[in-house]
Amino acid sequence: MVRFGYFASLEEFSPAACLDQVELAEAAGFDSVWVNDHFHPWFDHLADGSSAHGGNCWTWLPAALDRTEDIDVGTGVTAVINRYHPANVAHRLATLAELYPDRVFLGIGTGESLNEVPLGNALPDYGERARRTAEAIRLIRRLFEEEFVDHEGQFWTLDGANLYTGPDEAPPIHVAASGPTSARMAGDLGDGLVTVYEPPERVREELFPAAEAGVEKSARNDSLDDVHRTVHVHCAYAEDEQAALEEIRPWGLTLLDDVWSSDSADPRELQAMGADVSDERLREAFVVTSDPQDLLDVTQTYVDVGFDEVVFQSSSPDQAAFCDVMAEDVLPAFE
């Protein structure tokens, strides 16, 4: 049975608003909550001209877990490049897992400039970031499974590091992948693969085969079925479709290759780069709708591709109305 995730955007909404949304999501029947882990937001201001937000996910996560009862909560996604050491991430995860057993997960990815450059760190090229990420995943698992870990690696060092608190196995680790290298890493080292609104054809022809190649070398996974596959869908629902379009407009910059390759970590500059993204392109990439059938259809599309979980990031003007539509018209169709 397909799982449904809700994305709490600490860039678009305040931490308090995201906590209210998580309660709505659990009441609507969502299975998981994913929260962004960014230092800077992608954009400087929202559609109405008010400021973007920049809440810290690790401060927010325990509040979200405490405000809910059963829903799983984790990062979507954390980049372990320079600003975090893998042991710091493992330490935080272990404490959360001790407080909220079987409800915590880690999404991990190769990061962007907006996480590193503001702290004085240059963003390495993708190849180095991928190697750093793979080494970090292995270290996080070792810290849960072993005692007094020593490690002298290419990027990270441990000297008798020991987690005194937490379970004996790391919470699920989902590896973000928008290309074959990270997809192979997900199949090899991850419990799951997560990708963001990739076309179904590319998923079938490139990402899943790459993940399967990773499974073939994995000591963890026997088949692709052992890798939990998650897709992130960005949407905006409102009875007035134009109102939905306006709310999602700031995210148009994420559709531009130049933004992803940019060294800029200034949300003002990044937002300016996306100022000319057309309404047509927004509608093609995102689910902008006044019809619940469109939300059901996109879910069915990705279930048919082979995803186990569909995560909705809602830029809807009314989050309660979005959750109501999901609870009444979408989730029941997949029970």
Side-chain angles (χ1 to χ4, degrees):
M1 184 173 70
V2 64
R3 284 170 54 91
F4 285 89
Y6 183 96
F7 191 88
S9 176
L10 290 172
E11 299 169 286
E12 189 170 355
F13 304 100
S14 71
C18 285
L19 287 179
D20 292 339
Q21 292 169 14
V22 167
E23 289 188 316
L24 291 171
E26 183 168 54
F30 283 87
D31 302 290
S32 66
V33 168
W34 300 64
V35 60
N36 61 284
D37 185 359
H38 289 164
F39 185 81
H40 273 178
W42 277 110
F43 42 78
D44 176 70
H45 56 273
L46 304 175
D48 63 3
S50 62
S51 176
H53 297 275
N56 180 278
C57 77
W58 294 101
T59 305
W60 183 87
L61 279 164
L65 286 156
D66 203 54
R67 286 273 289 267
T68 54
E69 295 183 6
D70 298 311
I71 200 166
D72 297 341
V73 185
T75 62
V77 296
T78 294
V80 187
I81 305 299
N82 282 305
R83 68 176 177 139
Y84 294 138
H85 190 290
N88 295 134
V89 174
H91 196 190
R92 292 167 179 171
L93 280 174
T95 299
L96 287 173
E98 177 83 3
L99 290 168
Y100 304 98
D102 302 319
R103 293 185 58 199
V104 177
F105 62 87
L106 174 69
I108 191 167
T110 53
E112 302 93 15
S113 294
L114 51 82
N115 289 329
E116 301 294 337
V117 172
L119 306 186
N121 301 316
L123 186 71
D125 63 30
Y126 171 76
E128 179 179 329
R129 298 195 324 264
R131 294 192 298 274
R132 282 180 176 270
T133 302
E135 187 175 330
I137 293 170
R138 292 185 176 99
L139 273 187
I140 289 169
R141 292 200 189 281
R142 285 187 63 195
L143 284 163
F144 277 88
E145 297 166 3
E146 302 175 21
E147 296 182 348
F148 298 98
V149 177
D150 293 320
H151 179 80
E152 188 68 44
Q154 184 177 3
F155 303 107
W156 311 106
T157 300
L158 294 175
D159 185 1
N162 189 54
L163 294 178
Y164 277 85
T165 295
D168 294 332
E169 185 176 359
I173 298 175
H174 302 265
V175 180
S178 58
T181 300
S182 290
R184 282 193 295 273
M185 189 191 310
D188 181 12
L189 303 178
D191 300 293
L193 175 154
V194 56
T195 194
V196 178
Y197 48 78
E198 289 287 349
E201 296 77 14
R202 185 163 186 259
V203 173
R204 288 193 191 97
E205 297 172 8
E206 188 171 347
L207 296 187
F208 282 179
E212 196 154 25
V215 167
E216 290 176 2
K217 61 175 290 192
S218 176
R220 298 182 45 77
N221 301 310
D222 295 324
S223 75
L224 191 58
D225 289 339
D226 297 321
V227 180
H228 186 83
R229 288 155 287 178
T230 299
V231 64
H232 176 128
V233 175
H234 203 152
C235 68
Y237 166 83
E239 292 186 4
D240 178 356
E241 189 175 309
Q242 187 63 33
L245 182 68
E246 292 306 317
E247 290 294 317
I248 209 169
R249 190 178 300 282
W251 291 100
L253 64 92
T254 62
L255 304 178
L256 302 177
D257 291 340
D258 288 349
V259 167
W260 292 97
S261 61
S262 174
D263 292 332
S264 177
D266 187 331
R268 297 166 297 182
E269 294 177 1
L270 295 171
Q271 188 156 21
M273 292 172 68
D276 295 329
V277 174
S278 68
D279 290 1
E280 181 181 8
R281 190 164 184 187
L282 292 171
R283 293 177 188 277
E284 287 175 353
F286 305 139
V287 183
V288 181
T289 186
S290 59
D291 186 353
Q293 184 66 40
D294 291 331
L295 298 169
L296 194 152
D297 288 346
V298 73
T299 302
Q300 188 64 62
T301 294
Y302 283 114
V303 169
D304 290 345
V305 170
F307 283 99
D308 305 297
E309 183 164 351
V310 181
V311 177
F312 283 90
Q313 178 174 348
S314 168
S315 291
S316 306
D318 184 337
Q319 295 297 321
F322 166 74
C323 286
D324 286 345
V325 163
M326 292 294 293
E328 294 169 8
D329 297 305
V330 180
L331 274 66
F334 295 90
E335 291 179 350

